[in-house]
Amino acid sequence: MFTVAKLQEQDHIAVQNQDFDLALEYQALTEANQSDGAVVHFVGLVRNNNLGRQIQALELEHYPAMTTKALTELVAEARQRWQLGRIRLIHRVGKLSLGEQIVFVGVTSTHRGSAFAACEFLMDQLKTRAPFWKKEYTSEGAHWVAARDSDRVKAGEW
Amino acid sequence: MFTVAKLQEQDHIAVQNQDFDLALEYQALTEANQSDGAVVHFVGLVRNNNLGRQIQALELEHYPAMTTKALTELVAEARQRWQLGRIRLIHRVGKLSLGEQIVFVGVTSTHRGSAFAACEFLMDQLKTRAPFWKKEYTSEGAHWVAARDSDRVKAGEW
Amino acid sequence: MIKVLFFAQLREVLDCASLELDTNVSSVGELRIALMQKGRDWQEFLAADKALAALNQTLVADDARLKSGDEVAFFPPVTGG
Amino acid sequence: MIKVLFFAQLREVLDCASLELDTNVSSVGELRIALMQKGRDWQEFLAADKALAALNQTLVADDARLKSGDEVAFFPPVTGG
């Protein structure tokens, strides 16, 4: 019933505490890759305000045994829908301060339309199907972030 | 009849011979910017193959008096359509080798949907409305690239 | 034997990260209902509209069948990215 | 006096980057037709379906009105990015 999605050699998925370096990610997407003319990056950062609350920090919990599996499936789905070159996806966990990087999705393709679509698809699906949860720390205390209806709608539109 | 679009202080438009550094562009989009949680980048590169032709290099010509004006108008249109943080747009001209960077569009926003849409909108409009022309150098000689119908269709869909 | 995991807010309000259940429930939905008997918080926060379920690390609907040795996780809608 | 510029393939096939025209044409379309009289290549490559026009650095349709001192550019559909 379930087939296990496998990561292609040129793809990279990581769930990690440590920060990532956008320049190195870009290098990994483009070096020795002269066939792809389009690179699209998404970076998600800890912003200072969510629904009117002043954020001081975030804590990201995940379900380790499931996370990589879920992300690998998303990458496989993206590859079924679009002709893509390389895909790199990094999600951080643990405590993150204001302004820190949370997530990176980088996609290359011969044409820009596929790269834009796949990058946004991966983010939209990750937001509803990958087992990460955010806890916000504000001046009024900590609380778990509620899922957004808009994220469910976006993910369903693909 | 025509109003002259003006660039906002946090925006950057450049048409230049020299290369750009993605890491510096990312820094300019994100530093001292704790309100925007989403960053989307597009980079266009010289790829080795276009419609079956083996590319060795590109030459990019432009209409200097018009280019910055056209790009400034596109950025102003993007700002009218979406709530955006910072926008940076760089287009190179002159002779470019295989694998070199041609164009950068970076957009930040509080939410990813706007950043993705504006970045793709800017690229799609630039492809049909900004006065740049590519000449391809192949093993069989040089020729001007023909405009793609698919680019006209994409630009018209916004 | 079924291994059950809880994450995020669910782990906190139930004050439970994991438990093992020797049970003959045959579906994720039956497991959910069995767990909801454990107390008022369990009843409230495990309700099908509040807690998603994953069977062996894949999101499933409540009619997914269970067998001994399975790992089931319950958690709130995800909020990463 | 109208300043006329040509770019890319157009500049190459017409072997002309710019010219100044003392003319009383009143629109971009009339200017286009006047220039098309200059030779076979001009006729072919300045045709409305092959050459876009910009008036004072803004893309315009052929009915855009001209006045002395204007800068008009003709060029093929753009291919940057």
Side-chain angles (χ1 to χ4, degrees), chain A residues 61 63 69 132 134-135 144, chain C residues 8 11-12 56 71 79 81:
Chain A
E61 178 172 331
Y63 174 9
K69 191 173 171 180
F132 295 99
K134 278 196 192 105
K135 195 173 197 172
W144 291 96
Chain C
R11 177 179 48 72
E12 285 188 356
N56 299 327
E71 176 176 297
T79 57

Side-chain angles (χ1 to χ4, degrees), chain A residues 10 14-15 18 25 55 80 107 112 118-119 121 124 137 149 155:
Chain A
Q10 68 272 45
V15 179
Q18 70 264 33
E25 293 309 312
I55 310 302
Q80 278 175 354
V107 179
R112 71 187 185 285
C119 189
F121 168 85
D124 285 354
Y137 291 80
D149 285 338

